[in-house]
Amino acid sequence: LRMRHCRTLLYCRRAPPRCPACGGAWGAAGLPAAPVRLRCPFRHGHGQPRAFLLRPSRGTFLQDYDGSSDLHVGITNSKGVVYSYDQEGVHRAASGWEQCISIPLLQPGMWELQQHWDHLLEEFSQGEAWLPHRYDEQEHNCYTYALAFINHVLSSQGKEPLSKGQFTERFVLPETRRASRYLTLHHELTHRDFYMVPLPEEQ
């Protein structure tokens, strides 16, 4: 929860009876002091059809991620099966992606592409580029695979491809920044009841 009182933002899991910063009653501060529930940025990946997913290579974001561990990406089909690429080739996973950052890849109303998505993804994944021996941790990895599929779909629509930098900046960074802020709060509230952020003096 996020609450505001006496020029302080208070983050907590349960609303305390009084403001821990000043001891004042919440009601006196009016509507700004009302608790707002923050939306968790992590989704059950297998419930996110036709999406770009991002998760830690080991463990989960909330329990294990330290901010610098390796990340793994994948693409879901219409049923939530996650296609991803590593040194063993292309995997098709129906479990293991239960806590992810999810970026939808289709806009509502793209009916024709929705119908052909699974076929496009399966056909693309059988290409020689994604054989195990082609894998390279730096140059030809899970991100390469996912972005190549996205550009394959864009090409089929007559659209320009996205560079890694363009896709990352436009779609991935906004979500990872939000997730990073949420993880900071999660870790702070693991060890204390409140996390308080002073607000600047009002002009």
Side-chain angles (χ1 to χ4, degrees):
L1 300 176
R2 182 184 65 213
M3 306 171 77
R4 179 173 178 161
H5 198 267
C6 64
R7 293 197 301 276
T8 301
L9 283 180
L10 170 74
Y11 297 91
C12 55
R13 297 189 189 278
R14 294 180 183 81
R18 304 181 76 83
C19 173
C22 70
W26 297 112
L31 190 58
V36 175
R37 184 172 298 281
L38 300 181
R39 178 175 173 266
C40 179
F42 306 117
R43 296 284 169 266
H44 193 300
H46 301 290
Q48 306 293 313
R50 308 177 190 92
F52 175 96
L53 301 183
L54 183 71
R55 67 163 172 80
S57 295
R58 292 181 179 81
T60 65
F61 277 113
L62 291 175
Q63 296 297 324
D64 309 286
Y65 189 62
D66 62 5
S68 61
S69 304
D70 288 341
L71 296 171
H72 192 46
V73 304
I75 303 281
T76 53
N77 69 7
S78 65
K79 300 176 179 63
V81 175
V82 183
Y83 284 61
S84 66
Y85 177 64
D86 64 13
Q87 62 269 24
E88 297 176 355
V90 176
H91 297 266
R92 297 156 181 82
S95 63
W97 295 74
E98 287 77 18
Q99 194 181 103
C100 306
I101 293 171
S102 174
I103 301 169
L105 293 174
L106 293 187
Q107 297 175 351
M110 302 179 75
W111 305 115
E112 185 174 352
L113 194 49
Q114 287 181 14
Q115 296 300 316
H116 295 97
W117 186 266
D118 290 2
H119 174 72
L120 285 171
L121 182 56
E122 181 60 38
E123 186 178 55
F124 174 83
S125 300
Q126 292 178 13
E128 289 189 6
W130 315 116
L131 292 173
H133 72 274
R134 301 274 180 124
Y135 180 83
D136 180 85
E137 188 173 346
Q138 300 300 324
E139 301 295 333
H140 196 75
N141 51 35
C142 59
Y143 203 118
T144 312
Y145 163 81
L147 182 58
F149 174 70
I150 291 167
N151 282 328
H152 177 68
V153 172
L154 290 174
S155 176
S156 72
Q157 297 179 290
K159 296 181 179 179
E160 290 294 315
L162 293 168
S163 69
K164 182 177 180 180
Q166 287 172 325
F167 183 76
T168 302
E169 183 70 30
R170 194 180 306 175
F171 299 103
V172 179
L173 284 181
E175 296 299 324
T176 54
R177 286 175 182 140
R178 191 163 65 89
S180 178
R181 292 193 295 268
Y182 188 91
L183 282 174
T184 297
L185 290 174
H186 172 76
H187 292 316
E188 289 290 341
L189 294 175
T190 300
H191 306 292
R192 62 180 82 175
D193 292 333
F194 314 111
Y195 179 62
M196 292 184 284
V197 180
L199 293 172
E201 292 283 343
E202 295 180 1
Q203 301 297 321

